[in-house]
Amino acid sequence: MDNKLKIAFSQWTYDNNFEETKLCIERVSPNVDCTIVVYDEPIDSKNLEWLNTNMQKYNINLIRHEFIDNFPEARNTYIKKAKELNVDWLCVSDPDELYSEELASNLRNLINKYNSEGYNNIAVPVRDQFIALDDTQ
């Protein structure tokens, strides 16, 4: 297994979906090298405090960026930061897309496999993993 690849997880968040963002970070971030979180103010001070408190634990890189109603341009916010961090692979999801525990724990192996076969991206249908804030997680 090639553990030399630097893998990041990224997500854009707002107050109305912050609890989902926390779940995604807690599940995926332990399995990657760093996390990129983009937020638009105003974000509740309690939510910003959680990000700052957990910055070191999950290697969170915070980016404050005004909302962009342009999907490709918004995703470029992550890509720019990933390039600054010398990331080889960038995993992106929306807060309502929670990676299964199996996917999160096998993410590095999956990326290493596809990277070694010459792929430069993988599409994973995580919309099927829609978060329900109950005991199904």
Side-chain angles (χ1 to χ4, degrees), residues 12 70-80 92-94:
W12 199 304
N70 176 315
F71 185 76
E73 188 176 337
R75 290 289 163 106
N76 282 341
T77 305
Y78 308 126
I79 293 169
K80 180 180 176 186
V92 178
S93 75
D94 290 330

Side-chain angles (χ1 to χ4, degrees), residues 1-9 28-34 88-89 91 99 102-116 122:
M1 179 170 68
D2 180 11
N3 284 322
K4 295 178 184 175
L5 291 175
K6 187 171 183 181
I7 302 169
F9 172 67
V28 181
S29 294
N31 300 291
V32 297
D33 299 297
C34 60
D88 298 300
W89 279 77
C91 303
Y99 291 23
E102 182 180 7
L103 174 60
S105 65
N106 288 304
L107 195 55
R108 187 168 298 278
N109 290 334
L110 180 68
I111 289 171
N112 282 327
K113 176 186 184 307
Y114 282 96
N115 188 74
S116 71
I122 307 168

Side-chain angles (χ1 to χ4, degrees), residues 3 13-14 17 27 30 33 47 50 54 64-65 79 92 94 96 99 107 111 117 121 132 134:
N3 284 322
T13 192
Y14 306 92
N17 61 21
R27 181 167 293 174
D33 299 297
N47 295 337
W50 186 91
N54 288 283
R64 188 208 172 280
H65 199 288
I79 293 169
V92 178
D94 290 330
D96 66 347
Y99 291 23
L107 195 55
I111 289 171
E117 294 175 7
N121 67 58
D134 57 25

Side-chain angles (χ1 to χ4, degrees), residues 17-91:
N17 61 21
F18 193 78
E19 288 303 310
E20 291 90 345
T21 294
K22 281 174 45 177
L23 289 171
C24 291
I25 291 171
E26 290 168 344
R27 181 167 293 174
V28 181
S29 294
N31 300 291
V32 297
D33 299 297
C34 60
T35 302
I36 301 167
V37 176
V38 182
Y39 70 97
D40 186 14
E41 291 185 324
I43 188 168
D44 185 274
S45 60
K46 176 184 76 161
N47 295 337
L48 193 54
E49 180 182 345
W50 186 91
L51 288 167
N52 284 312
T53 300
N54 288 283
M55 191 174 286
Q56 190 169 16
K57 179 178 181 179
Y58 297 117
N59 196 5
I60 297 173
N61 294 267
L62 283 176
I63 303 170
R64 188 208 172 280
H65 199 288
E66 188 174 327
F67 172 74
I68 303 169
D69 192 14
N70 176 315
F71 185 76
E73 188 176 337
R75 290 289 163 106
N76 282 341
T77 305
Y78 308 126
I79 293 169
K80 180 180 176 186
K81 186 62 175 180
K83 286 182 178 181
E84 290 173 12
L85 296 170
N86 295 314
V87 168
D88 298 300
W89 279 77
L90 180 62
C91 303

